[in-house]
Amino acid sequence: MRCFQALYRRNFCARAIDLDEAGERDIYKINILEGMTMAKQAWYAVTSETIKHCWDHTDIQVDPTTNTDPWPHMDPVAWNIVHKFATTEMSLPNVENKLQALLGERYIDSDWRPALKAVMDAEGDVEMASNAIDALMQAASCCTGLKIHIPTRSQQAAQLSSTEAALMQSVRELQARNHIFGTLPTIDELLDPTEERDKGEFSAFEGGDSSIADMVCHEIAIANGEVIEVDSDEDNNDEVDPSITRKDILDLCQQLEVGCMQYGDPQFSLDLSSQQVSRKPTMRRTT
């Protein structure tokens, strides 16, 4: 995870430097689509060696010195010999010799003694002997003899070391370009910022996952040229239309009166005309 974080922040800083060289003012601005794309690139950049190194810190790796050969008590051929001992006239010395020949130095008499004793205790009862052997074989299959290897803390993964060095170099360059002020943050502060560590649970994105998906799809469409964003000019329209003068209102009233008499309902036109006539003197006095 630390390597992924370092890769992402290194790419973010490199992007900021590129934007600064291109003359952009807000070099740290990033949208959801760009952030997701950079995260994907960072994740796929993590090497298999780094992932293996990460597992070394879990302390559950198999001891590399452990013998990788199948354990004797899990050998199916050896258990087949024991089964023949239970179902045929094979003698005890004969089955012991066959097991020794098969397993060689891995043969330990005490490992097989319970199974051989179970056959002899059955006294010719094949079903009883077979059931006892099956139970022992199943129990033995659960005892793998696996040894857990707890390695000493190894050095930092090579990829992580080189990525952290590149990240700090980018941060120093951003400081030289006057985009970072004050004391440079340490690598730990960059990869595990206090603001993010104390953030707690993130609140749900307004609109849920569907809103995030819609926003990303919209940004993809813009990137592909399928949608063209047009900035609203409402904020730039500072001109105010001149107010209508009272003379203009009187002229409009005159036109409305004529139009109502010609095309409107007679009674409605008469009422409207009367209202206009009663208000004209007042409007003329205030001009």
Side-chain angles (χ1 to χ4, degrees):
M1 181 57 68
R2 184 180 176 91
C3 187
F4 162 74
Q5 293 172 324
L7 286 166
Y8 178 85
R9 297 190 186 279
R10 182 201 63 182
N11 294 344
F12 181 82
C13 290
R15 174 181 176 275
I17 293 173
D18 291 340
L19 291 176
D20 184 56
E21 291 181 348
E24 295 288 339
R25 295 184 62 185
D26 190 356
I27 64 173
Y28 298 121
K29 182 179 180 180
I30 186 171
N31 59 39
I32 294 178
L33 176 60
E34 292 170 334
M36 293 174 64
T37 301
M38 289 175 58
K40 179 181 178 181
Q41 293 172 344
W43 176 251
Y44 282 116
V46 178
T47 64
S48 57
E49 290 78 8
T50 299
I51 296 175
K52 179 181 180 301
H53 185 274
C54 178
W55 277 101
D56 287 340
H57 291 276
T58 64
D59 297 342
I60 59 173
Q61 298 288 68
V62 177
D63 190 340
T65 62
T66 301
N67 189 353
T68 57
D69 293 337
W71 293 93
H73 57 269
M74 297 177 61
D75 193 321
V77 179
W79 282 105
N80 188 42
I81 294 174
V82 177
H83 266 288
K84 288 183 178 180
F85 175 54
T87 57
T88 65
E89 299 296 329
M90 184 183 297
S91 65
L92 178 60
N94 194 6
V95 67
E96 291 175 339
N97 291 334
K98 286 184 177 296
L99 289 172
Q100 291 178 1
L102 173 66
L103 301 176
E105 295 180 355
R106 297 183 301 154
Y107 175 76
I108 302 176
D109 183 74
S110 59
D111 288 345
W112 297 97
R113 190 53 50 189
L116 301 180
K117 184 177 184 299
V119 174
M120 293 185 292
D121 290 345
E123 297 180 350
D125 189 330
V126 175
E127 183 177 358
M128 180 185 295
S130 297
N131 291 338
I133 292 171
D134 290 340
L136 288 171
M137 181 172 63
Q138 184 175 2
S141 66
C142 298
C143 300
T144 61
L146 181 65
K147 295 180 180 179
I148 302 301
H149 175 54
I150 303 179
T152 57
R153 292 295 181 184
S154 56
Q155 295 181 349
Q156 190 169 265
Q159 183 186 25
L160 177 57
S161 299
S162 60
T163 303
E164 289 183 351
L167 171 58
M168 291 306 300
Q169 178 61 34
S170 297
V171 171
R172 285 190 288 269
E173 184 169 351
L174 286 170
Q175 185 185 45
R177 292 170 179 263
N178 295 324
H179 288 292
I180 294 179
F181 302 97
T183 305
L184 279 181
T186 65
I187 188 64
D188 290 330
E189 292 172 337
L190 287 170
L191 299 184
D192 189 20
T194 304
E195 297 82 358
E196 296 181 6
R197 186 169 58 249
D198 298 338
K199 189 69 175 180
E201 294 294 332
F202 290 98
S203 58
F205 189 83
E206 183 177 357
D209 294 343
S210 60
S211 296
I212 298 176
D214 291 342
M215 185 179 296
V216 172
C217 290
H218 179 69
E219 292 174 355
I220 292 175
I222 294 175
N224 293 335
E226 300 172 5
V227 175
I228 299 177
E229 283 191 322
V230 178
D231 294 334
S232 174
D233 57 356
E234 293 181 358
D235 297 336
N236 299 327
N237 189 10
D238 297 330
E239 297 182 359
V240 180
D241 294 334
S243 60
I244 300 176
T245 64
R246 290 181 173 83
K247 181 179 182 304
D248 294 334
I249 294 176
L250 290 173
D251 292 339
L252 289 173
C253 290
Q254 181 66 34
Q255 295 177 19
L256 183 59
E257 180 180 352
V258 174
C260 289
M261 296 299 295
Q262 291 181 355
Y263 305 106
D265 178 78
Q267 184 61 44
F268 174 77
S269 300
L270 181 61
D271 294 340
L272 181 61
S273 178
S274 299
Q275 291 290 334
Q276 292 174 343
V277 170
S278 65
R279 294 179 180 276
K280 281 182 181 179
T282 304
M283 295 185 66
R284 285 195 178 99
R285 286 196 299 267
T286 57
T287 55

